Amino acid sequence: MFADTASPLSVLHRWPAFPAPVKDTALAAVFAVLAFVPTVSHLGPEIGDLPGHPAGTAGTAIALALTLAMCLPLALRTRRPGVCLLVVGGAFAVDQVLGYPDTFSKVGLLLSLYAAGAHLSRFRRGLAAVVTAGYALLAVVLHELGSPQRFLDFLAFYLVMAVIWSSGTGVRRWRAEAAERTRLAVALAAAAERARIARELHDVVTHHVTAMVVQADAAQFQLDAAPARVGGGLDAISETGRRALSELRTLLGVLGTPEGTPTTNPTPATNPATSPTPTVGRFGELVEQARLSGQPVEWTEQGVGRRRSVEVELAAYRVVQETLTNAMKYATGRPTTVLVRHADERIEIEVTTAGPTTVAPPFVSGGRGLSGLRERVRLLEGELETATQPDGGFRVLARIPAGADA
């Protein structure tokens, strides 16, 4: 019933990444050529085994037409799999009824069955019913014409065709699941990126706007108490605004740069003070900005700071920035200490505010700032602890694994 078939199904998905129409056309052309090679003519499926076949010029022309009808429609196997199967299946049925000799083109029936299972998107059950009914009719006609095949032979041939269709269906299901996994991965990545951007915007805008509000209030107080010192407060507000604009431009520049397009300055700045990306070396700016806003800040740095990865340095910078922002918002004028410890394995940052806060500490309500910090540190496999001090102040302790040197 089936000769030794060197099935081409196993190599269909190892072709180079050419467009589907090109691959299908090439496949149809190869089958059309092999159909006329005598040495491979016995490799096609056979079910009728009827004796004899029409002879003469007319018979040769019909045989040629049927041979091409079982090969050339393969050029449509991915774009019109239903049409491909109906044409190839009809030609195969006529070939079996007329009793033409074996030809490699009959393998096209197997490929068209697989293509229908793998690529047909509509009327799948209807086409399966039509194919089943057509095959049953073919089996009856072959039996009436004297085919030596018995019922079990016809049934076995049908089951083989069903398995080939099912294998195509399995590949179709696998592709759909892979596409869904890809879609979900893209959606999750987009959501994570939106969350990251929201954290960055929160950190940048909240810190600088809070500092500007505090500095403006201080300038208003100085206008009443000491007008000569108002200029310093206005300078501090101006400098804070410039820093906010600089960080926002950096963030928006990253968002607006197409993937694969180099930025105007692809080489990172070696000087932390001039780097557009916040780094560990710019802690002093945050402390000085808080002092200009009237917040008494004591800054201590232990160990030797080394350049770390961008993620580690940015996370450390945001921890100091967010905690100082909270100090200016919720513990205005209270003594604040910032302790940074540099170690080989990690960076520890401890920020403490003494005395009772003017309002509830920010970590009690789980505000977006500290929750975003906790998530940022957790992604680096670090820890962020918050606690209320006995005197009513608050304490934030972050441990960030240093990772490899930048």
Side-chain angles (χ1 to χ4, degrees):
M1 182 165 50
F2 280 93
D4 295 335
T5 304
S7 174
L9 296 178
S10 60
V11 300
L12 287 179
H13 300 291
R14 296 200 297 267
W15 285 30
F18 292 114
V22 175
K23 294 194 292 186
D24 294 343
T25 302
L27 180 67
V30 169
F31 269 71
V33 172
L34 293 178
F36 299 97
V37 178
T39 55
V40 297
S41 62
H42 63 286
L43 297 179
E46 184 71 29
I47 185 59
D49 292 331
L50 293 178
H53 57 85
T57 304
T60 302
I62 295 176
L64 176 62
L66 292 176
T67 298
L68 295 178
M70 287 184 285
C71 296
L72 299 183
L74 293 176
L76 302 175
R77 71 181 194 93
T78 56
R79 290 171 291 171
R80 297 289 187 272
V83 174
C84 175
L85 177 58
L86 290 176
V87 175
V88 174
F92 177 82
V94 174
D95 178 270
Q96 296 300 302
V97 170
L98 296 180
Y100 282 110
D102 293 338
T103 173
F104 188 77
S105 63
K106 296 178 183 179
V107 178
L109 175 66
L110 309 181
L111 292 183
S112 60
L113 283 167
Y114 174 84
H119 302 290
L120 188 63
S121 57
R122 297 188 299 173
F123 310 115
R124 294 175 62 87
R125 294 183 179 180
L127 181 61
V130 170
V131 172
T132 299
Y135 178 75
L137 179 60
L138 174 62
V140 172
V141 172
L142 292 177
H143 178 73
E144 294 296 328
L145 293 176
S147 173
Q149 306 292 345
R150 296 294 179 259
F151 172 77
L152 292 180
D153 298 321
F154 288 116
L155 178 61
F157 192 92
Y158 177 79
L159 291 178
V160 170
M161 292 194 301
V163 168
I164 294 175
W165 176 293
S166 300
S167 65
T169 301
V171 171
R172 173 183 173 82
R173 185 178 298 110
W174 174 80
R175 287 173 176 169
E177 292 174 352
E180 180 64 14
R181 288 194 297 269
T182 301
R183 186 191 67 80
L184 291 176
V186 171
L188 288 175
E193 185 66 9
R194 286 195 296 269
R196 186 190 70 82
I197 294 171
R199 287 196 301 269
E200 294 292 338
L201 287 174
H202 172 274
D203 293 341
V204 172
V205 174
T206 303
H207 173 78
H208 291 294
V209 171
T210 298
M212 293 171 68
V213 170
V214 173
Q215 291 163 357
D217 290 342
Q220 180 64 38
F221 175 78
Q222 291 171 356
L223 181 62
D224 299 332
R229 300 176 57 186
V230 173
L234 295 179
D235 290 340
I237 295 174
S238 177
E239 179 62 23
T240 302
R242 290 192 182 94
R243 291 176 182 174
L245 290 175
S246 177
E247 291 193 29
L248 286 175
R249 288 194 191 101
T250 301
L251 180 58
L252 295 177
V254 172
L255 295 177
T257 302
E259 184 179 358
T261 302
T263 58
T264 56
N265 184 18
T267 304
T270 57
N271 184 4
T274 60
S275 173
T277 302
T279 62
V280 171
R282 298 177 62 183
F283 285 163
E285 296 181 9
L286 296 174
V287 173
E288 184 62 26
Q289 186 179 32
R291 289 171 177 171
L292 290 175
S293 301
Q295 189 74 12
V297 180
E298 179 184 351
W299 176 39
T300 305
E301 194 168 12
Q302 299 177 354
V304 179
R306 295 182 298 174
R307 293 196 63 204
R308 307 293 184 178
S309 65
V310 174
E311 293 80 6
V312 171
E313 295 211 358
L314 183 58
Y317 182 91
R318 294 305 186 202
V319 168
V320 175
Q321 184 183 59
E322 179 65 22
T323 50
L324 287 179
T325 300
N326 287 335
M328 289 186 290
K329 290 172 61 177
Y330 303 105
T332 305
R334 299 293 182 180
T336 304
T337 61
V338 178
L339 175 60
V340 179
R341 302 185 187 94
H342 297 280
D344 293 336
E345 300 82 9
R346 63 186 180 183
I347 300 176
E348 287 191 4
I349 302 171
E350 183 178 6
V351 180
T352 306
T353 298
T357 58
T358 56
V359 294
F363 48 82
V364 174
S365 61
R368 182 183 183 91
L370 285 178
S371 64
L373 277 185
R374 187 173 287 107
E375 176 68 14
R376 185 194 294 273
V377 173
R378 186 188 64 81
L379 290 176
L380 296 175
E381 300 182 357
E383 299 175 352
L384 181 71
E385 300 176 0
T386 59
T388 303
Q389 298 288 83
D391 61 355
F394 64 89
R395 172 176 174 267
V396 176
L397 176 62
R399 300 182 183 91
I400 305 174
D405 293 346

